[in-house]
Amino acid sequence: MNKPKIARPEESQPAHTLWFDRKKYVTINFMVHRPKNVQVDIQTDKIILCCKNDDDDVIYNEFQLYDKILTHDSRERVYDRTINMLLRKITPDVAWPRLQKDPAKPSWIAVDFDNWRDWEHEEYEGKEEYDNYMDMLQEMASTNKGGAPDMGDLSDVSALS
């Protein structure tokens, strides 16, 4: 099942592209207003996108990915203002410092800082927070501050039923 080759149009412009990294996936959002005639080719090391926007401008993006992906577990979805791609990394738990293999950054690619997380240290920070919480509970249990507070001013819940 070979997809038809997407030829680069003579006159085209790249879509503004936002991306962010997660442990197992890389998400890419191509900002195209009302995309139509969308063609996507997701390869293990390369992405090709070709479409038209609502002004019939031809949009074409093609680039080599920083690392390889699993094509059978990667998806694209077309929305009214974006074309989203969810790409599954072959090597999970490895951060991508950039989207492209080429270290030169084109002006149309940007990091989506609204969705970016420094997930490399998440487990460690979560464990530290958990340990702090457990220490606080231990301290509260060991320094009993007296009996339970009087809650006589609260209405009886059983009387409401």
Side-chain angles (χ1 to χ4, degrees), residues 38-76:
V38 177
Q39 295 177 294
V40 175
D41 186 8
I42 300 175
Q43 301 172 16
T44 58
D45 61 346
K46 183 181 191 178
I47 297 292
I48 302 172
L49 167 77
C50 187
C51 66
K52 290 186 177 183
N53 64 9
D54 60 344
D55 293 329
D56 281 335
D57 297 324
V58 178
I59 307 296
Y60 184 84
N61 291 67
E62 178 178 358
F63 54 90
Q64 298 287 328
L65 294 167
Y66 175 77
D67 200 0
K68 294 188 183 248
I69 60 165
L70 297 170
T71 56
H72 67 277
D73 200 14
S74 298
R75 307 276 183 268
E76 80 274 351

Side-chain angles (χ1 to χ4, degrees), residues 66-125:
Y66 175 77
D67 200 0
K68 294 188 183 248
I69 60 165
L70 297 170
T71 56
H72 67 277
D73 200 14
S74 298
R75 307 276 183 268
E76 80 274 351
R77 192 156 192 191
V78 179
Y79 293 98
D80 196 34
R81 295 181 181 198
T82 61
I83 300 166
N84 296 353
M85 289 187 190
L86 185 65
L87 309 175
R88 176 124 187 185
K89 298 177 181 180
I90 281 185
T91 52
D93 299 328
V94 175
W96 287 19
R98 59 186 177 274
L99 181 59
Q100 293 192 118
K101 183 175 282 264
D102 183 11
K105 182 182 161 293
S107 61
W108 49 269
I109 293 180
V111 174
D112 186 354
F113 285 107
D114 290 340
N115 290 305
W116 189 268
R117 282 196 330 236
D118 185 15
W119 54 264
E120 288 180 291
H121 306 292
E122 262 182 11
E123 281 185 31
Y124 177 73
E125 289 173 8

